[in-house]
Amino acid sequence: MLAGAVLLGGCGGGGSSGMIPSFWMSEGVAVADLNGDGLPDVAVVRTFVDGSHPHPGSVDVYLQTAAHEFAAPVNYPVGTDPWGIAVGDINGDGKVDIAVANTSAGNVSVLRQDGSQPGRFLPAQQVGTGGTPYAVVIGDINRDGRADLAVALQNAAGGAVLLLQSTAAPLAFQSPILLANGSGALSVAIGDLNHDGLPDVATDGNNAVDVFLQTPAGAFGPAVPLTAGNRPGNVAIADLNGDGFDDLIVANAGSMNGGSGASISILLHDSSHPGTFQAAVNYPVADSARQVVVGQLTGSPAPDIAVISLVLQSQSAVAQISHLQNQGDGSFTFGPVLSGPGDGMFLTIGDVNGDGLVDLVVSDGPQLILQNAASPGTFNTGTPLR
């Protein structure tokens, strides 16, 4: 999908200039049953890059048919330079909605599902966040029965911002609540990080993962930094060892010069001292790790980890997906490294083809990497969605 051109200005003395075609860039990706037919669908965030910022953005929704094929995508405009995506029932009508973080617009686009047309979405509602939003997650943060939004702000004064939904009116949000970490964040996650039954918030920080604990009064304490690996850039929360306590998983991008030294940090919750974590155990992965996802990729009860890396050393290199297999106690061994599409930076999981096995979906393409039914825990070569 090419149209127009982008002007490249020269750099250094003398310099040169040239034109390259403008292009669509794929960012966040989500898998969910978006139209209630029992079949997983795919939504991908896209940006049309044509000249300098800001760039228009959209969400492409691919609905799966009864024949297990995907219909041509339906395009829904969102804000400028979108990045992260989350799906869930935001307005409480029992239907899946979409939220997208728009980096240059300083807002989140909320696309409510059209109640009269399953799988179709109404024009986006823009909810201001301030700063530079990069990621968004959906959850009932204040336990009032309404879905709220937590958004990662990349700017230095950022961290996370909470958008609490009003109990008086669906899709009316209160003023943003800033949880500052002093360095900004590219990701955000919600979980009970001190085992008190209250949702807490975690973001990536300056060579750390920052934890914000909620008090019984509904306020949040200051950022508590926990040491991770080299340049944390993505954080997830899950119980990795089955002890009932939420643990932290962090994708570390590695060196700024090429991404070497990338890793996954595992910080297990110290169940004897709730709210504290054991020292990070780091597992090396392919250079320039971007996003981590957690799920039962091998069929065992213990959740596994997949992380996508965008290898930067060679323009011909493709994205690589490292598969870490849980040994049941929160320690991991490595499965085969998988190849993804050339510009893959975003990854999600879901049983796309309904065979009971969890598959991988990469934003660029988008590309499906189906688990091999004949050999669970291994994956077939990736194929474009259509």
Side-chain angles (χ1 to χ4, degrees):
M1 293 186 290
L2 300 177
V6 177
L7 176 65
L8 294 182
C11 300
S16 62
S17 63
M19 301 287 289
I20 64 170
S22 56
F23 59 95
W24 286 92
M25 185 168 66
S26 298
E27 284 93 17
V29 59
V31 171
D33 180 4
L34 296 176
N35 57 357
D37 64 354
L39 300 173
D41 309 301
V42 175
V44 180
V45 175
R46 298 194 192 277
T47 300
F48 184 63
V49 181
D50 185 11
S52 59
H53 292 275
H55 305 121
S58 64
V59 172
D60 283 0
V61 172
Y62 298 79
L63 296 179
Q64 188 170 178
T65 70
H68 296 291
E69 298 175 347
F70 285 87
V74 178
N75 177 275
Y76 298 92
V78 292
T80 53
D81 296 294
W83 201 252
I85 185 173
V87 294
D89 182 7
I90 299 176
N91 64 338
D93 64 354
K95 302 179 186 303
V96 178
D97 308 305
I98 297 173
V100 176
N102 305 304
T103 61
S104 66
N107 60 28
V108 169
S109 293
V110 175
L111 290 87
R112 179 167 59 90
Q113 189 167 168
D114 187 341
S116 63
Q117 299 185 80
R120 299 282 177 165
F121 294 84
L122 300 174
Q125 169 190 344
Q126 313 299 350
V127 183
T129 63
T132 308
Y134 260 75
V136 57
V137 294
I138 300 168
D140 184 2
I141 297 170
N142 58 355
R143 300 183 304 156
D144 64 354
R146 295 236 182 238
D148 308 306
L149 304 176
V151 183
L153 298 183
Q154 187 271 340
N155 47 291
V161 65
L162 308 182
L163 301 169
L164 303 181
Q165 192 171 178
S166 170
T167 57
L171 296 183
F173 291 87
Q174 302 173 28
S175 298
I177 300 171
L178 177 64
L179 305 181
N181 68 357
S183 62
L186 298 175
S187 67
V188 62
I190 298 173
D192 183 0
L193 296 174
N194 58 353
H195 208 62
D196 64 353
L198 300 175
D200 306 305
V201 174
T203 69
D204 55 279
N206 183 17
N207 278 335
V209 55
D210 291 319
V211 170
F212 300 87
L213 298 177
Q214 186 171 181
T215 71
F220 283 82
V224 177
L226 304 174
T227 301
N230 187 3
R231 288 207 305 144
N234 192 257
V235 60
I237 297 173
D239 179 7
L240 296 176
N241 57 0
D243 64 355
F245 288 73
D246 280 340
D247 308 307
L248 293 163
I249 307 96
V250 187
N252 305 297
S255 168
M256 292 186 66
N257 298 318
S260 61
S263 65
I264 293 295
S265 293
I266 305 298
L267 292 86
L268 295 178
H269 205 137
D270 184 350
S271 59
S272 63
H273 298 89
T276 65
F277 294 80
Q278 300 176 26
V281 177
N282 296 324
Y283 294 85
V285 296
D287 292 349
S288 195
R290 297 287 172 161
Q291 187 177 23
V292 63
V293 293
V294 183
Q296 294 172 329
L297 295 173
T298 59
S300 69
D304 302 311
I305 293 170
V307 58
I308 190 164
S309 299
L310 185 59
V311 178
L312 302 176
Q313 288 86 343
S314 170
Q315 292 184 352
S316 63
V318 297
Q320 295 184 19
I321 300 169
S322 302
H323 177 198
L324 284 70
Q325 299 173 342
N326 198 332
Q327 300 305 291
D329 58 358
S331 66
F332 294 82
T333 60
F334 283 92
V337 176
L338 309 173
S339 294
D343 293 325
M345 289 194 296
F346 290 86
L347 178 71
T348 192
I349 59 175
D351 181 7
V352 178
N353 59 351
D355 63 356
L357 301 174
V358 176
D359 308 305
L360 304 170
V361 183
V362 182
S363 59
D364 188 35
Q367 186 178 103
L368 305 183
I369 304 177
L370 300 178
Q371 192 166 169
N372 186 346
S375 181
T378 67
F379 293 83
N380 299 325
T381 301
T383 59
L385 194 65
R386 57 185 305 271

